[in-house]
Amino acid sequence: MKVSERRVWRALGQHRSTQRRLPKGRADEERLVADMIELTRQYGRYGYRRVAALLRDAGWQVNDKRVERLWRREGLKVPMKQPKKGRLWLNDGSCVRLRPEYQNHVWSYDFVHHRTDDGRAFRTLNILDEYSRECLAIRVKRKLNSIEVIDALTDLFILRGIPAYIRSDNGPEFIAEALRDWIRAVGAKTAYIEPGSPWENGYCESFNGRMRDELLNGEIFYSLREAQIIIERWRNHYNTKRPHSALGYRPPAPEATIQVDQRPVMH
């Protein structure tokens, strides 16, 4: 068009060097990229910021922006989480994904720890029917051992019948020989989760989280008796009023709630 280069670049708003000069990386860029890729291979769940920190720990004088630019250029990214592999039943008697199919099929129980206002600890034994999501009982005492677990289950077996399976973790109260023999004698089966895998007892863990979030974190208990009354009142509300998302936002037991263990506790 018979115009100068300067006029063209000025009209386009570009500097002449963007067309004339080829970008050149730093002399150490190839080694830096190699180290970055090696770290990415070792730590597949790390993003560029963590990789940049590891590079600096290794002696590189590099900031996050430079690592991010090389990260994008090389097409690196944190991979999507791999789907977990599910197992159904293990030969050692533990149950990983035994799914409840009807009411009284699988019960689960677990302990929750809390304190009264004077600093003294107490425990709650939470027992659930996994199919209906109903909280069958919450026993609140300063100390709860395997004998207390048997006592709580005995009351429920009389009122509700005997479940096919009882799921729990491997706490000493649940694996006590007396409790295991008693459960076997009444005709139920134990389903212990893998050690260190609380997610395998997901129904009870979810309930424990709701209980702590909605009740325990917002209440001050001045005595154990007060804790027993308030927690039992919350259990009734949970069963009869609180909408449960897994049940189409209906309460687990809207018709009636079984009252268990209302006896006063001697201190």
Side-chain angles (χ1 to χ4, degrees):
M1 298 180 66
K2 297 182 181 182
V3 294
S4 66
E5 288 183 357
R6 293 177 184 271
R7 185 177 179 184
V8 171
W9 305 138
R10 187 164 56 248
L12 295 177
Q14 293 187 8
H15 196 275
R16 285 186 298 166
S17 64
T18 60
Q19 306 297 324
R20 289 173 172 266
R21 184 179 302 170
L22 295 177
K24 294 182 180 180
R26 300 183 188 180
D28 61 353
E29 192 154 287
E30 186 175 347
R31 292 189 297 110
L32 175 60
V33 170
D35 289 353
M36 184 178 67
I37 292 175
E38 179 59 29
L39 288 172
T40 305
R41 186 179 296 112
Q42 292 181 30
Y43 308 103
R45 298 299 306 165
Y46 285 5
Y48 75 88
R49 290 186 177 88
R50 282 195 174 90
V51 170
L54 291 175
L55 289 170
R56 287 191 289 269
D57 290 341
W60 283 96
Q61 299 294 324
V62 63
N63 58 26
D64 289 354
K65 289 184 177 180
R66 186 183 178 194
V67 174
E68 181 185 15
R69 175 176 61 81
L70 298 174
W71 182 277
R72 294 180 181 277
R73 191 190 74 183
E74 298 297 322
L76 299 173
K77 61 180 179 179
V78 178
M80 296 179 62
K81 291 184 178 180
Q82 299 296 321
K84 295 180 180 179
K85 297 179 180 179
R87 294 165 292 173
L88 295 178
W89 190 265
L90 302 180
N91 294 329
D92 62 358
S94 62
C95 175
V96 179
R97 293 187 63 191
L98 173 64
R99 298 187 181 278
E101 300 177 358
Y102 50 86
Q103 197 168 7
N104 278 4
H105 181 205
V106 183
W107 289 4
S108 59
Y109 51 11
D110 197 9
F111 290 114
V112 171
H113 300 258
H114 201 62
R115 292 181 181 274
T116 48
D117 187 56
D118 57 7
R120 297 178 61 193
F122 68 84
R123 306 175 82 187
T124 71
L125 173 64
N126 301 340
I127 308 176
L128 276 73
D129 185 314
E130 293 190 357
Y131 182 80
S132 67
R133 308 299 206 278
E134 181 182 358
C135 178
L136 303 177
I138 302 179
R139 179 161 292 201
V140 183
K141 285 194 174 183
R142 295 291 182 189
K143 295 182 179 180
L144 288 167
N145 53 29
S146 60
I147 302 302
E148 294 288 347
V149 175
I150 292 175
D151 189 40
L153 290 177
T154 300
D155 292 341
L156 288 176
F157 286 177
I158 294 173
L159 292 170
R160 300 294 187 112
I162 299 172
Y165 296 93
I166 301 179
R167 193 196 315 262
S168 72
D169 59 26
N170 292 269
E173 301 86 357
F174 298 137
I175 63 173
E177 186 175 351
L179 176 60
R180 297 171 68 174
D181 292 344
W182 179 80
I183 291 177
R184 190 182 307 111
V186 299
K189 296 180 181 179
T190 55
Y192 294 109
I193 68 173
E194 285 291 285
S197 303
W199 55 86
E200 294 176 6
N201 196 11
Y203 294 96
C204 213
E205 291 292 338
S206 176
F207 175 83
N208 294 347
R210 300 284 75 74
M211 177 180 174
R212 186 168 295 282
D213 181 57
E214 298 175 11
L215 174 67
L216 299 181
N217 289 346
E219 290 282 351
I220 299 176
F221 303 114
Y222 292 100
S223 67
L224 181 65
R225 186 56 183 162
E226 182 183 22
Q228 291 171 334
I229 294 172
I230 294 176
I231 290 173
E232 180 62 21
R233 184 186 304 157
W234 180 84
R235 184 183 76 89
N236 292 339
H237 172 79
Y238 179 90
N239 285 337
T240 60
K241 301 294 184 182
R242 182 186 182 277
H244 201 299
S245 59
L247 302 175
Y249 291 93
R250 297 191 306 268
E255 298 158 358
T257 300
I258 301 297
Q259 303 291 330
V260 179
D261 193 20
Q262 296 295 320
R263 296 168 294 178
V265 178
M266 302 301 295
H267 300 279

